[in-house]
Amino acid sequence: MATKKKHISENKKKKDSKVKVALLGFGTVGSSVARILATSKFPSIELTHIFNRNVERKRTSEAARTVASSVVWTDSIDVILRSDVDIVVELMGGLNPVEGWIRKALTAGKSVVTANKQLIAYRGPGLVKLAAQHKVHLVHGAAVAGGVPVIPGMLQGLCGDQVTKLSGIVNGTCNYILSRMEAGADYATVLADAQQLGYAESDPSADVDGFDARAKLCILSRIAMHAELDPDAVATQTISTVEAIDFTYAKELNCTIRQVSRAELDGKLVHARVAPMLVPLASPMAWSHGTQNMVVVSGRFGGDVVFSGHGAGGEPTAVAVVSDLLAVAQGCNTVELPIKKARGDR
Ligand code: HSE
């Protein structure tokens, strides 16, 4: 059932006026979003505000060179909330204080584009409801699998199926670590590299202990199976205990090791799990190296559909954010189906 929401460009009074955008967060992804907007020069979009803590440090950074001089840099969220921006792009992450800011933005009639998986996993349904009440959009295509359009693909392309199973690799940092360990590198070195390259979360235990992947699995289960899972109830196992010798044993079985996230519908129960698992060397998951993500969606009628590409990193994730931004600016309507509470098993 498509819902009618505010078509931002129709609300613009002047024919030539642009949709104004504020960026919350000028880190790895935020600076890539700003660079794409500056270089691609989408005619209907104007970046007008950037919010960041310690804003001076960001404003004078190398990454800020492509940002237009007209952009207002601020470390006051109230400046953003009181401004006339149409869309707030949230790239700060975490629940607090971001949830409160997003609630205020939606209530003030601003649409929100976010890549915040924890927020969407824990608070998504309430925020979507709030957005609908205020006739604005809340879009989160970048929250799962970075630059791989698995969320828009499932929302638009697979909503006609009955999805019974999801499985795959949804954390780029773990895939980067495990695929390099498979080639002989040691855990601590590759984790440090992943942090340096901007793939890992600010607290990398969110990656290696599986909390990032389980949030993404809950979001995918909601969209694909209309099942609302409690992230804290999803069985989750760390990859930090995987050792070099495990890859030797795995190879003897013609397998390797990947962090796999899996959810399967079983009547009213959803079996959901995130863990390092053996995957056959001949399977597509074993071919995923570096930050590559891969999600296999199994439908009752359509069979298996595979989504694959870069799941972490500034530019791939920024592509997903900018794509959401363009869709919202053009008044996208997403398909919405009722969500059922589902029990997860531990
Ligand atoms: N830390 C996350 C990952 C970033 O490695 O997949 C993208 O969500």
Side-chain angles (χ1 to χ4, degrees):
M1 193 189 342
T3 56
K4 278 213 161 173
K5 291 190 183 154
K6 199 187 283 180
H7 186 160
I8 290 174
S9 48
E10 279 173 7
N11 288 344
K12 291 280 170 190
K13 296 280 180 276
K14 281 189 246 149
K15 222 167 127 196
D16 59 348
S17 66
K18 295 186 174 190
V19 173
K20 292 182 179 158
V21 175
L23 209 49
L24 307 190
F26 197 73
T28 307
V29 179
S31 58
S32 295
V33 168
R35 188 162 58 252
I36 292 176
L37 291 178
T39 52
S40 299
K41 293 189 172 47
F42 299 106
S44 58
I45 297 221
E46 183 183 1
L47 179 63
T48 60
H49 291 71
I50 296 176
F51 165 91
N52 207 96
R53 298 184 186 101
N54 301 322
V55 72
E56 270 316 295
R57 187 173 50 88
K58 296 288 181 175
R59 199 179 62 79
T60 53
S61 66
E62 184 64 29
R65 277 173 172 264
T66 56
V67 175
S69 56
S70 57
V71 169
V72 175
W73 292 79
T74 181
D75 57 7
S76 164
I77 193 67
D78 290 332
V79 168
I80 307 290
L81 295 172
R82 284 199 303 260
S83 73
D84 62 349
V85 301
D86 304 290
I87 306 176
V88 173
V89 178
E90 186 273 307
L91 301 170
M92 308 282 295
L95 296 183
N96 285 315
V98 168
E99 182 187 1
W101 297 347
I102 289 186
R103 286 186 169 278
K104 284 182 182 166
L106 295 171
T107 305
K110 301 179 191 309
S111 287
V112 172
V113 170
T114 179
N116 189 330
K117 48 253 163 161
Q118 298 296 345
L119 182 76
I120 297 303
Y122 282 96
R123 307 279 193 264
L127 291 172
V128 166
K129 208 167 152 190
L130 186 64
Q133 279 166 6
H134 293 276
K135 297 189 166 45
V136 290
H137 301 274
L138 172 73
V139 185
H140 55 81
V144 178
V148 189
V150 56
I151 289 182
M154 289 199 316
L155 278 172
Q156 303 298 344
L158 294 177
C159 60
D161 207 342
Q162 289 175 18
V163 175
T164 53
K165 193 168 106 182
L166 293 163
S167 68
I169 295 166
V170 292
N171 183 273
T173 301
C174 288
N175 208 53
Y176 179 82
I177 292 172
L178 293 173
S179 58
R180 282 195 55 197
M181 284 178 76
E182 180 189 336
D186 76 280
Y187 176 84
T189 306
V190 284
L191 174 57
D193 288 351
Q195 287 177 283
Q196 174 74 22
L197 290 163
Y199 305 148
E201 299 299 300
S202 48
D203 175 1
S205 87
D207 296 296
V208 298
D209 295 335
F211 307 131
D212 177 85
R214 80 177 182 188
K216 291 167 175 169
L217 186 64
C218 291
I219 296 170
L220 293 181
S221 300
R222 180 188 298 148
I223 293 168
M225 300 175 180
H226 319 297
E228 193 59 41
L229 295 177
D230 173 6
D232 296 328
V234 173
T236 306
Q237 200 179 321
T238 184
I239 67 154
S240 64
T241 50
V242 177
E243 296 176 29
I245 189 73
D246 297 316
F247 284 93
T248 308
Y249 294 143
K251 205 169 173 191
E252 284 171 12
L253 299 169
N254 282 325
C255 289
T256 186
I257 302 167
R258 292 287 183 267
Q259 186 204 50
V260 178
S261 300
R262 186 181 283 172
E264 187 162 8
L265 204 56
D266 174 12
K268 288 192 174 167
L269 198 68
V270 175
H271 302 287
R273 183 172 184 78
V274 175
M277 295 186 196
L278 287 174
V279 298
L281 284 169
S283 78
M285 270 194 249
W287 309 336
S288 298
H289 288 91
T291 60
Q292 200 173 3
N293 279 196
M294 175 171 287
V295 179
V296 184
V297 184
S298 306
R300 178 175 167 194
F301 303 107
D304 288 354
V305 176
V306 182
F307 295 87
S308 172
H310 289 291
E315 294 197 337
T317 310
V319 168
V321 171
V322 173
S323 301
D324 276 354
L325 195 50
L326 290 168
V328 173
Q330 291 174 17
C332 68
N333 273 336
T334 54
V335 175
E336 288 170 13
L337 296 166
I339 302 290
K340 298 175 214 113
K341 281 262 179 219
R343 275 191 303 129
D345 60 335
R346 294 205 69 138

